[in-house]
Amino acid sequence: MDNAKKTKMNKDEPAVGARRRFLGQSALLGLAGAGLLTGCKEDAPVTKAPASAAAHAAGGTHEVAPGQLDDYYLFSSGGHSGECRIIGIPSGRTLRRIPVFNVDPMVGWGITNESKAILGTKPDGSLKYMTGDTHHVHGSYKDGTYDGKYLWVNDKMHSRLARIRMDTMECDKITELPNVMGYHGTFPDKRDPVDPNINYTTRVFCGGEFHVPLPNDGRDLDDPTKWGALFTCVDAESMEVRWQVRIDGNCDLVATSYDGKFAATNQYNTENAADQAGMMSAERDACVFFDIARIEKMVKDGKYTTIGKSKVPVVDGRKAANQDPKTAITCYVPVGKNPHGVNASPDGKYMVCSGKLSPTATVIEVALVEKWFNGELKTERDAVVAEPEIGLGPLHTGFDGKGNAYTTLFLDSQIVKWNVEAAIKQFKGDKNVKVILDKVDVHYQPGHGYASMGETKEADGKYFNSGNKFSKDRFLPVGPLHSETEQMIDITGDKMRIISDHTAYPEPHDAIIVRRDIVKTRQIYNMDDFPNAVKPENAGITREGKKVHVRLMSVAPAYSMPVIKVKKGDEVTITLTNHDKVEDLTHGCAIPNYDINFIVNPQETKSVTFKADKPGVFWMYCTHFCHALHLEMRSRFIVEA
């Protein structure tokens, strides 16, 4: 390296360090001024992030060479893009973007009739919503680990739950939750709470965050004391809402116990306030546990109400209505102020809540929560078995399956590795035990973090991904909107080691990292799965009055009809089936000036309906490169005046 380059590196490094200190100090000053943080000691040396690409590549074993496959799939939300994303791990390659609550003209999501039926439409046929805000992606379980069948993701903006089939990686159902605003946390159950023979996912739990009038139809607009939030259970197969629970506080994230008995959500605003000052008045907030079997018995026995036009059973889970533990359906365990995250340990013993505005993580023993419901504990707080100080701004926790937890520290811009059993011993009075094992700097302000298979009983302790919200100085500047930073950390050894970082288009939130052997995808479709598939015997044009149906086939490099004629004012439906059977051989269909664009994969069928309101000749062409004669793959769509 020449002297000029050495000088530049040495000059830049202190600036980065100063910027980190500035970010941390600014955040601390703001929170200290509001009286929201207590002191936090440093218990472990910090592992510094590598400063160069060469340092990132040191070791080399994590590089995925050209032609080689990744070991894991990372399934991530896309944030206010409304989509989900699939990324290969450890390479960081973006493999696919799955449209869910957004419109995607590449695949035709929000354009085709089939996708509109899933998204929901207004009476005029337009989409009910054009936007969405995905946060938390979680997979279906069997025997405490992923089974590769479904993914679920929330829409915080419009309170919807979407399901994605993992064999095709496409959304197949969307359910809107009644009387909920700001639906945030999501988690499926891991087995049935009553039937021990059902060891797979049957329910998905959804946490409602914002307090609103119930129902929110114009009543009680100026009386927040009558507002409330609901916790919702959705059937995993039918995607119908099973029941809801009215609660104190705002739900944040959601977790479920491995025995199927409990769902839990960490909460802020247990004060039930409608402004920030009111939300900060209590010393602690809570992690509320739901006894699923008791709730479902209440519903079965008819001990519920309904809200507004919704027919969904609603039971009262507020603390005032659940004073007797032996009949209670909820247990409010006090935790640090304004927690942001609850996660179940792979051994099924604990739930970990992070304080956010407290430098602590709260460890709750699930067996003690059950004892509280049985009337064997004096208070809910007795279920807490540890509360170590781990750093400033703790948010989300992952696990390595070896007894260690990894928590994002938003204010410190670090990941902290700590031992759960050591924290429990410390809580019992052992002052000599070492709780914090390591810390590593990340760049900057980590939000969500998650470990490979870390949400399952098969947590393997290989990787932890830190999703960082600030990326200044990390990448080439591209204007005021910065990309975000995803940093992959090797957690196989005693010390954490950052091995790579990748850009992320804003703003992904949570994700899961799944072993590749679990995911079994289809390479082509089965034409017989589509009842409207176009075959030689039904291909062609049919007319019923002003309604025209064009049934079209594609085989590279041609559509089955070179000319399609309709009249101005016709309502036209085009149904297209791709008859190619070769993997990767996708066709597109675009009609200029008519805002039609979608693709059909091998053996797939899709349709669009629109009004032919512009006379003229419009070349319908294939948008997806499919053949040496791809540019010649066209049909004349003629609208006669």
Side-chain angles (χ1 to χ4, degrees):
M1 182 183 295
D2 60 42
N3 290 333
K5 289 182 179 178
K6 285 182 181 178
T7 302
K8 187 176 189 306
M9 286 182 66
N10 292 335
K11 182 180 179 181
D12 287 349
E13 284 173 359
V16 174
R19 196 166 284 110
R20 173 181 293 281
R21 288 193 296 275
F22 172 77
L23 286 166
Q25 289 168 359
S26 298
L28 284 173
L29 286 171
L31 291 174
L36 301 179
L37 280 180
T38 58
C40 179
K41 60 181 180 295
E42 190 74 35
D43 285 324
V46 175
T47 302
K48 295 297 181 182
S52 68
H56 278 253
T61 56
H62 302 286
E63 181 181 355
V64 181
Q68 299 301 307
L69 302 182
D70 281 287
D71 295 324
Y72 297 86
Y73 291 85
L74 187 152
F75 298 101
S76 173
S77 69
H80 37 279
S81 69
E83 66 187 18
C84 288
R85 298 164 187 169
I86 307 175
I87 297 169
I89 298 297
S91 73
R93 300 164 176 161
T94 297
L95 304 176
R96 184 162 179 180
R97 298 169 69 170
I98 306 173
V100 182
F101 302 112
N102 56 319
V103 173
D104 185 345
M106 193 281 282
V107 301
W109 190 256
I111 297 170
T112 65
N113 295 328
E114 292 78 11
S115 61
K116 284 184 174 182
I118 295 170
L119 283 162
T121 58
K122 300 175 184 177
D124 65 0
S126 62
L127 291 178
K128 184 176 182 181
Y129 301 114
M130 292 284 288
T131 56
D133 184 16
T134 57
H135 280 236
H136 302 110
V137 180
H138 293 288
S140 53
Y141 286 82
K142 185 175 183 180
D143 289 328
T145 194
Y146 300 125
D147 63 6
K149 186 176 182 181
Y150 294 129
L151 299 167
W152 286 276
V153 65
N154 71 309
D155 170 20
K156 181 173 179 176
M157 191 179 301
H158 302 303
S159 297
R160 293 177 291 176
L161 174 69
R163 187 178 73 189
I164 295 168
R165 286 178 48 168
M166 291 182 71
D167 63 339
T168 61
M169 299 301 178
E170 294 172 328
C171 176
D172 74 335
K173 285 185 180 292
I174 293 176
T175 298
E176 188 169 348
L177 309 183
N179 296 303
V180 172
M181 184 177 292
Y183 155 38
H184 193 201
T186 303
F187 216 97
D189 66 6
K190 301 181 180 81
R191 64 183 307 119
D192 193 89
V194 178
D195 189 342
N197 296 314
I198 301 177
N199 62 351
Y200 51 85
T201 293
T202 58
R203 304 163 180 81
V204 183
F205 301 106
C206 315
E209 187 177 355
F210 303 152
H211 281 67
V212 291
L214 298 172
N216 192 13
D217 58 2
R219 69 188 76 183
D220 302 324
L221 300 180
D222 299 314
D223 188 0
T225 63
K226 295 182 180 179
W227 300 0
L230 300 173
F231 185 82
T232 304
C233 175
V234 177
D235 188 276
E237 287 296 335
S238 70
M239 289 288 286
E240 297 293 325
V241 179
R242 284 192 176 197
W243 44 259
Q244 295 180 305
V245 182
R246 185 168 180 177
I247 54 170
D248 293 315
N250 296 351
C251 296
D252 185 33
L253 271 71
V254 176
T256 58
S257 63
Y258 279 79
D259 59 12
K261 294 179 180 179
F262 304 114
T265 175
N266 63 294
Q267 294 185 299
Y268 68 97
N269 190 27
T270 50
E271 303 91 338
N272 297 313
D275 55 35
Q276 190 178 79
M279 294 178 188
M280 306 308 300
S281 60
E283 182 180 354
R284 288 185 176 275
D285 278 303
C287 181
V288 59
F289 286 79
F290 300 85
D291 189 311
I292 307 304
R294 287 186 185 179
I295 292 171
E296 298 202 339
K297 188 176 187 307
M298 286 185 69
V299 172
K300 184 178 179 181
D301 293 344
K303 297 178 181 179
Y304 63 83
T305 60
T306 58
I307 298 175
K309 296 179 180 180
S310 170
K311 303 302 180 185
V312 173
V314 179
V315 296
D316 194 344
R318 290 173 290 183
K319 195 167 185 179
N322 290 270
Q323 294 297 301
D324 183 357
K326 293 184 178 180
T327 59
I329 59 172
T330 51
C331 171
Y332 290 80
V333 179
V335 300
K337 189 62 181 165
N338 284 63
H340 190 46
V342 58
N343 300 90
S345 62
D347 58 13
K349 293 181 179 179
Y350 308 110
M351 296 282 186
V352 175
C353 280
S354 298
K356 191 172 72 172
L357 298 187
S358 166
T360 59
T362 302
V363 182
I364 302 167
E365 187 171 338
V366 176
L368 293 179
V369 173
E370 186 170 6
K371 283 190 173 183
W372 183 88
F373 276 113
N374 293 334
E376 300 174 35
L377 289 188
K378 289 183 179 180
T379 69
E380 299 95 323
R381 179 70 181 173
D382 292 333
V384 174
V385 294
E387 204 158 49
E389 291 187 0
I390 59 173
L392 297 180
L395 297 184
H396 302 283
T397 299
F399 302 92
D400 62 8
K402 305 170 188 175
N404 301 315
Y406 300 77
T407 302
T408 57
L409 301 177
F410 184 80
L411 298 180
D412 280 338
S413 291
Q414 293 176 330
I415 308 302
V416 56
K417 175 183 179 180
W418 55 282
N419 185 267
V420 177
E421 292 299 334
I424 294 172
K425 290 178 181 178
Q426 184 189 71
F427 194 70
K428 291 179 178 178
D430 187 344
K431 303 301 181 184
N432 297 317
V433 67
K434 187 178 180 63
V435 177
I436 296 180
L437 305 178
D438 191 26
K439 289 184 177 181
V440 63
D441 289 334
V442 291
H443 195 114
Y444 296 109
Q445 268 66 52
H448 281 279
Y450 33 88
S452 51
M453 297 296 290
E455 299 273 18
T456 77
K457 69 178 184 181
E458 296 183 341
D460 57 24
K462 291 188 178 180
Y463 300 112
F464 182 90
N465 189 78
S466 175
N468 309 322
K469 295 307 175 186
F470 292 1
S471 68
K472 56 185 66 179
D473 306 318
R474 203 66 174 179
F475 308 115
L476 287 172
V478 288
L481 176 64
H482 290 231
S483 66
E484 294 186 2
T485 314
E486 302 284 326
Q487 290 186 301
M488 188 61 58
I489 302 171
D490 182 337
I491 60 172
T492 56
D494 293 335
K495 295 293 184 180
M496 294 178 285
R497 185 168 66 94
I498 294 180
I499 56 173
S500 64
D501 54 31
H502 306 281
T503 59
Y505 187 69
E507 178 187 64
H509 290 265
D510 206 3
I512 58 175
I513 302 176
V514 181
R515 283 198 328 267
R516 74 183 190 192
D517 63 282
I518 293 172
V519 180
K520 308 292 186 184
T521 63
R522 300 169 69 170
Q523 301 305 95
I524 65 172
Y525 287 92
N526 182 346
M527 190 183 297
D528 293 334
D529 289 342
F530 299 91
N532 61 336
V534 181
K535 300 177 181 180
E537 58 267 27
N538 67 348
I541 300 176
T542 59
R543 174 183 289 274
E544 294 183 10
K546 298 290 287 183
K547 293 186 177 182
V548 177
H549 198 152
V550 180
R551 293 179 175 87
L552 193 64
M553 299 178 291
S554 63
V555 178
Y559 297 114
S560 58
M561 286 185 283
V563 179
I564 300 167
K565 284 188 177 183
V566 300
K567 298 182 183 301
K568 182 182 177 183
D570 284 345
E571 180 186 282
V572 179
T573 296
I574 296 177
T575 301
L576 175 62
T577 298
N578 182 348
H579 278 251
D580 282 302
K581 296 181 180 180
V582 178
E583 180 182 330
D584 249 2
L585 218 168
T586 295
H587 294 302
C589 178
I591 304 179
N593 305 127
Y594 273 96
D595 207 24
I596 300 298
N597 191 21
F598 64 98
I599 61 170
V600 281
N601 294 294
Q603 302 289 289
E604 185 182 24
T605 299
K606 288 181 182 176
S607 65
V608 292
T609 300
F610 59 99
K611 188 173 183 179
D613 55 2
K614 293 178 283 291
V617 175
F618 306 90
W619 282 102
M620 184 176 75
Y621 67 96
C622 179
T623 54
H624 218 84
F625 206 100
C626 60
H627 191 275
L629 293 177
H630 163 71
L631 293 180
E632 288 78 15
M633 186 172 171
R634 289 184 279 163
S635 292
R636 282 169 287 162
F637 180 69
I638 298 174
V639 181
E640 297 176 336

